[in-house]
Amino acid sequence: MRSGSEGRTVRETLGDSTIAAAHVVTAAGHVVTGAGYFRSYSAVGLLAVVGVLFVAVAFGAGRLLRPVVPTPEKLLTYECGVDPVGEGWAHTQVRYYVYAFLYVIFAVDSVFLFPWATVFAAPGFGATTLVEMFVFLGFLAVGLLYAYKKGVLAWT
């Protein structure tokens, strides 16, 4: 249930029978029409259409302007200027993925630390947010300790 005049139609608020029910009066007393509501989204839609057209024109111009002269050399797989030898399959060690995963974990940690520092500075939230953050950092430390004990962090 809404309090005050928020969400009521103009007809209910002003008693004017000529104003359509699609008009809404906000708590501040501003009248918002249905057309004005969708007009604000039309700017976003227009920007999206312009963006798609820009990309389409750029790709189309590139396709029209580039030279198309296929030769056997151009159809070869390019690998740093060296002719490819052997299979295209290369084994990648799992430890690279583990390091990437650990990086993502600590990057997410830093994403949570910045808002926490802002809330920690607000009056009345100090002790609670401090305990919450130490619990969060404790979970991360346990995960890091587990990775260290398993030998994941040893670069061989």
Side-chain angles (χ1 to χ4, degrees), residues 63-84:
R63 182 174 209 127
L64 291 174
L65 297 176
R66 72 175 179 229
V68 181
V69 185
T71 61
E73 291 83 19
K74 288 183 180 179
L75 297 177
L76 283 177
T77 303
Y78 180 75
E79 190 173 330
C80 300
V82 179
D83 290 332

Side-chain angles (χ1 to χ4, degrees), residues 48-139:
V49 168
V50 167
V52 168
L53 283 175
F54 181 76
V55 171
V57 167
F59 276 113
R63 182 174 209 127
L64 291 174
L65 297 176
R66 72 175 179 229
V68 181
V69 185
T71 61
E73 291 83 19
K74 288 183 180 179
L75 297 177
L76 283 177
T77 303
Y78 180 75
E79 190 173 330
C80 300
V82 179
D83 290 332
V85 177
E87 295 182 19
W89 184 258
H91 295 284
T92 305
Q93 295 184 9
V94 175
R95 68 174 173 228
Y96 298 117
Y97 296 111
V98 172
Y99 278 104
F101 187 64
L102 288 173
Y103 169 76
V104 168
I105 289 172
F106 287 103
V108 169
D109 174 36
S110 66
V111 166
F112 284 116
L113 282 175
F114 288 117
W116 168 76
T118 306
V119 172
F120 185 68
F125 291 105
T128 305
T129 55
L130 185 65
V131 169
E132 289 173 351
M133 190 47 62
F134 275 118
V135 168
F136 178 69
L137 290 174
F139 280 122

